[in-house]
Amino acid sequence: EVQLVESGGGLVQPGGSLRLSCAASGFTVSSAYMSWVRQAPGKGLEWVSLIYSGDGRTYYADSVKGRFTISRHNSKNTLFLQMDSLRPEDTALYYCAKDRGLLGNDYWGQGTLVTVSS
Amino acid sequence: DIQMTQSPSSLSASVGDRVTITCRASQSISSYLNWYQQKPGKAPKLLIYAASRLHTGVPSRFSGSGSGTDFTLTINSLQPEDFATYYCQQTYTTRTFGQGTKVEIK
């Protein structure tokens, strides 16, 4: 059974950093595309970042480019999102999701909440 | 960047109604369009991928159509468990979601 469990969220001051983790089971993270998607309180879904299987190419939304870094640890079967220079507008529930390339996100975690506030 | 525009933003419907939600892309995305359902406090669930293909386990009352820039999600005979927010997503270049359509009980 495929499972994704996010962790690492919390309260951080503007300008601070957090690293989110997404522990996967039931499949191999290195063999799948993986995405981070966020949802601000009461708002819609916003795609944040994508990492390809194999060569590990990475892509970012313009809103986070240069501040966030997606990566994976193959032996731990875990996906990460390093978030630096955080802003209040980064406050959201962050989901990791298994990404089937062109065919959508078929598995999602339960999300981890990030709050950026002084 | 490709922008995705859904309409309407919300709608009210009754059990048994047929509901149609549209999604328009700012440029052609071929058939690389997916639909998700999200209920309050839950993660989104994939309903339709590649514009018209039903994801595993999704009831057949859900259907999708379209290609290029204009797409439609149709729910035939709306059921109580279908009241939720629906999002389209393009995967032609990176990813973009529509702003969502909330389906409420009339």
Side-chain angles (χ1 to χ4, degrees):
Chain A
E1 180 191 6
V2 171
Q3 278 198 319
L4 296 167
V5 179
E6 301 96 335
S7 60
L11 175 63
V12 62
Q13 291 189 337
S17 298
L18 274 180
R19 188 173 85 150
L20 306 184
S21 299
C22 172
S25 57
F27 73 102
T28 303
V29 163
S30 61
S31 299
Y33 289 17
M34 296 293 295
S35 279
W36 287 98
V37 175
R38 68 185 181 183
Q39 187 167 36
K43 302 297 183 182
L45 301 173
E46 180 187 13
W47 171 76
V48 172
S49 184
L50 167 66
I51 186 168
Y52 278 11
S53 58
D55 64 8
R57 272 179 289 168
T58 58
Y59 300 87
Y60 300 92
D62 287 345
S63 58
V64 307
K65 201 172 294 182
R67 301 187 299 121
F68 289 12
T69 303
I70 190 172
S71 64
R72 63 188 181 217
H73 193 301
N74 293 345
S75 61
K76 293 184 178 179
N77 210 33
T78 299
L79 179 73
F80 300 103
L81 186 68
Q82 177 67 40
M83 304 187 296
D84 299 320
S85 302
L86 282 162
R87 305 166 179 168
E89 56 264 36
D90 295 318
T91 294
L93 186 64
Y94 284 74
Y95 293 103
C96 71
K98 181 173 166 289
D99 191 306
R100 303 191 305 172
L102 299 172
L103 305 182
N105 301 105
D106 55 349
Y107 292 96
W108 297 67
Q110 83 289 349
T112 187
L113 183 62
V114 172
T115 304
V116 184
S117 175
S118 54
Chain B
D1 289 2
I2 297 176
Q3 308 303 316
M4 306 301 294
T5 304
Q6 285 181 236
S7 61
S9 297
S10 65
L11 65 90
S12 296
S14 300
V15 172
D17 284 353
R18 183 185 189 196
V19 167
T20 299
I21 299 168
T22 63
C23 180
R24 175 164 289 175
S26 60
Q27 66 184 74
S28 177
I29 57 170
S30 185
S31 296
Y32 299 120
L33 189 285
N34 310 305
W35 290 97
Y36 297 84
Q37 176 194 68
Q38 187 180 34
K39 296 181 179 179
K42 299 294 187 182
K45 290 184 176 180
L46 180 64
L47 295 176
I48 302 281
Y49 65 95
S52 61
R53 299 184 184 183
L54 209 60
H55 184 54
T56 305
V58 175
S60 59
R61 63 181 180 272
F62 292 92
S63 64
S65 64
S67 66
T69 61
D70 294 312
F71 301 86
T72 300
L73 172 69
T74 300
I75 311 172
N76 283 303
S77 188
L78 196 68
Q79 297 300 299
E81 60 267 31
D82 300 336
F83 292 96
T85 301
Y86 294 85
Y87 295 92
C88 63
Q89 177 204 41
Q90 68 82 18
T91 52
Y92 185 74
T93 62
T94 60
R95 293 24 175 166
T96 315
F97 288 95
Q99 81 278 15
T101 296
K102 187 173 184 179
V103 176
E104 298 175 299
I105 301 173
K106 183 182 284 184

